[in-house]
Amino acid sequence: MRLFLLLLLASPLRAEEAPLASPAPLLDCLAASGGGACVGTMAGGCEAEAGPGSEGLCRGAETAFWQARAEAALSLLRDGESEVQARARRLGWPEPVPTLDALSQGFEAYRRAACDWRAASWDGIHAGHEQQDCLMRLTAGHALLLEGMLDD
């Protein structure tokens, strides 16, 4: 049921963002095997269809897909956040107890720093491709982690 809600909340991309970026192969992969092995499926299909020069746009479209899933998972996790906070205090976790907002802010800071560093490691046009690939992969990992937390 939660996966169904995630799929509903992860709205399709606007056509003008990446007209050839279809989430269907990625959704099929996730349904069949799930997990990190599916990351890049949507971008790869888009790049194969759109040809050279489409890497940034296609990877950006898949990043938006994963970001929507991460936001949907966060929304569902927020429903139980007070219970998690209370349990952590009961079990003697050190203060302050981590919040979902802190988790999100920490992830955003890490993603920005890691992907900026990766882009700076490349020359020319490759810097943009590498940065988009980094954003896509880290965002996908984050979304999958949050979705896994829903199942805990």
Side-chain angles (χ1 to χ4, degrees), residues 4 7 13 16 43 79 86 95 100-101 103 125 128 137 148:
F4 175 73
L7 293 175
L13 300 168
E16 67 271 13
D79 293 342
E95 295 290 331
L100 289 172
D101 286 340
L103 185 147
I125 193 168
R137 292 185 184 287

Side-chain angles (χ1 to χ4, degrees), residues 53-150:
S54 64
E55 293 89 350
L57 182 65
C58 293
R59 293 173 196 180
E62 186 168 332
T63 300
F65 170 88
W66 288 113
Q67 185 64 39
R69 286 180 68 115
E71 289 169 6
L74 273 171
S75 178
L76 292 171
L77 285 168
R78 285 191 198 293
D79 293 342
E81 184 170 17
S82 61
E83 179 183 325
V84 171
Q85 295 282 335
R87 181 182 311 116
R89 282 190 290 280
R90 237 184 2 264
L91 295 173
W93 277 73
E95 295 290 331
V97 176
T99 65
L100 289 172
D101 286 340
L103 185 147
S104 293
Q105 291 168 359
F107 170 72
E108 287 302 322
Y110 168 75
R111 183 176 74 162
R112 185 174 38 257
C115 295
D116 285 352
W117 189 90
R118 185 167 171 186
S121 300
W122 290 82
D123 292 328
I125 193 168
H126 295 291
H129 298 166
E130 292 300 318
Q131 186 171 40
Q132 285 299 323
D133 187 67
C134 178
L135 291 168
M136 177 186 70
R137 292 185 184 287
L138 288 180
T139 304
H142 185 60
L144 291 169
L145 174 71
L146 294 171
E147 289 174 359
M149 289 178 181
L150 288 169

Side-chain angles (χ1 to χ4, degrees), residues 27-45:
L27 292 171
D28 290 345
C29 180
L30 289 170
S33 62
C38 298
V39 177
T41 304
M42 181 175 159

